[in-house]
């Protein structure tokens, strides 16, 4: 129960669960300034209680017009995460947004690929906690070659790194897992707009 709402934590065997369901529920409840509690006893069952603040504001009768989602122009994005399922899902989202993901589950291999062709990439998305190389180390290795390249940090642990420390480590954006497609789209657009020399990356993959 202590880790129930932790993103990607699951007691199920590999391939049968991502551990994202309750983390997503928790994020939705928190975004509406609510709270969620759980009571569970072996052999009896589990009860979740969700509380939302009372609002006196009536909903707008006119449906809101969704803002157009920022899209890429074929830029190559280096994606690094040691969870294969996350890599697959994020790669699919990046492709839908108009980017060309180049994904790795091994941070050392990702850095080697970058060093072999550093101007192939317009931005980097890296997880923070990985077994062979931390996301902070990935950012450091990349910025030794291209200091201006945007590096976006992702982490499933809230509070693992604050914005000040992230900025000192060379990260342009921080995304808490799980993140929505719109969140990723906005973060990439913001990061790329800050980069003065982001390549179009229209060459062969």
């Amino acid at each position: 129960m202590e880790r129930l709402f932790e993103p990607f934590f699951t007691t199920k065997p590999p391939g049968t669960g991502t551990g994202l369901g309750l983390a997503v529920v928790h994020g939705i409840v928190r975004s509406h300034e609510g709270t969620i509690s759980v009571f569970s006893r072996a052999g009896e069952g589990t009860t979740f209680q969700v509380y939302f603040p009372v609002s006196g504001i009536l909903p707008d009768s006119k449906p809101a017009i969704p803002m157009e989602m920022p899209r890429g122009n074929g830029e190559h994005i280096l994606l690094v995460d040691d969870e294969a399922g996350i890599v697959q899902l994020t790669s699919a989202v990046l492709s839908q947004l108009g980017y060309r993901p180049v994904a790795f589950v091994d941070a050392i291999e990702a850095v080697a690929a970058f060093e072999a062709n550093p101007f192939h990439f317009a931005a980097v998305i890296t997880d923070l906690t990985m077994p062979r190389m931390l996301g902070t180390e990935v950012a450091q290795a990349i910025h030794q070659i291209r200091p201006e390249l945007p590096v976006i940090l992702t982490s499933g642990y809230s509070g693992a790194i604050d914005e000040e420390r992230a900025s000192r480590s060379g990260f342009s954006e921080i995304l808490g897992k799980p993140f929505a497609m719109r969140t990723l789209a906005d973060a990439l657009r913001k990061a790329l707009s800050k980069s003065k020399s982001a390549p179009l990356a229209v060459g062969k993959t």
Side-chain angles (χ1 to χ4, degrees):
M1 287 179 61
E2 293 178 355
R3 303 184 67 184
L4 196 62
F5 299 107
E6 182 179 312
F8 307 110
F9 173 78
T10 178
T11 57
K12 298 178 181 179
T16 59
T18 62
L20 278 173
L22 286 174
V24 171
V25 171
H26 185 263
I28 293 172
V29 173
R30 289 288 300 275
S31 69
H32 287 83
E33 299 182 355
T35 186
I36 183 170
S37 65
V38 57
F39 173 81
S40 183
R41 182 171 292 172
E44 295 185 11
T46 301
T47 300
F48 290 88
Q49 293 178 315
V50 181
Y51 301 90
F52 294 101
V54 176
S55 174
I57 302 175
L58 295 175
D60 192 344
S61 58
K62 296 181 180 179
I65 300 175
M67 295 178 61
E68 185 176 354
M69 194 172 299
R71 294 182 56 83
N73 294 304
E75 297 95 337
H76 288 93
I77 307 297
L78 181 63
L79 173 64
V80 194
D81 199 300
D82 62 308
E83 292 284 347
I86 299 174
V87 167
Q88 184 178 4
L89 177 61
T90 308
S91 294
V93 170
L94 288 170
S95 296
Q96 290 181 42
L97 290 172
Y99 297 99
R100 298 181 184 181
V102 181
F104 293 87
V105 294
D106 188 297
I108 293 178
E109 292 180 2
V111 171
F114 174 81
E115 291 174 343
N117 195 359
F119 291 95
H120 184 69
F121 302 100
V124 178
I125 302 173
T126 179
D127 186 29
L128 173 61
T129 307
M130 295 179 287
R132 300 185 66 193
M133 193 176 193
L134 295 176
T136 50
E137 296 172 321
V138 171
Q140 183 180 11
I142 285 171
H143 284 152
Q144 285 180 349
I145 302 173
R146 288 188 60 193
E148 86 291 347
L149 189 68
V151 180
I152 297 174
L153 174 70
T154 66
S155 177
Y157 301 94
S158 59
I161 182 170
D162 57 31
E163 291 187 5
E164 182 179 352
R165 181 187 167 196
S167 179
R168 292 198 307 267
S169 300
F171 295 107
S172 56
E173 298 289 331
I174 309 175
L175 300 183
K177 295 178 180 177
F179 46 81
M181 184 176 185
R182 177 79 199 206
T183 303
L184 179 59
D186 289 341
L188 271 171
R189 175 55 58 205
K190 183 179 178 181
L192 291 173
S193 67
K194 291 179 181 178
S195 176
K196 297 181 181 180
S197 58
L200 293 177
V202 294
K204 297 181 180 179
T205 56

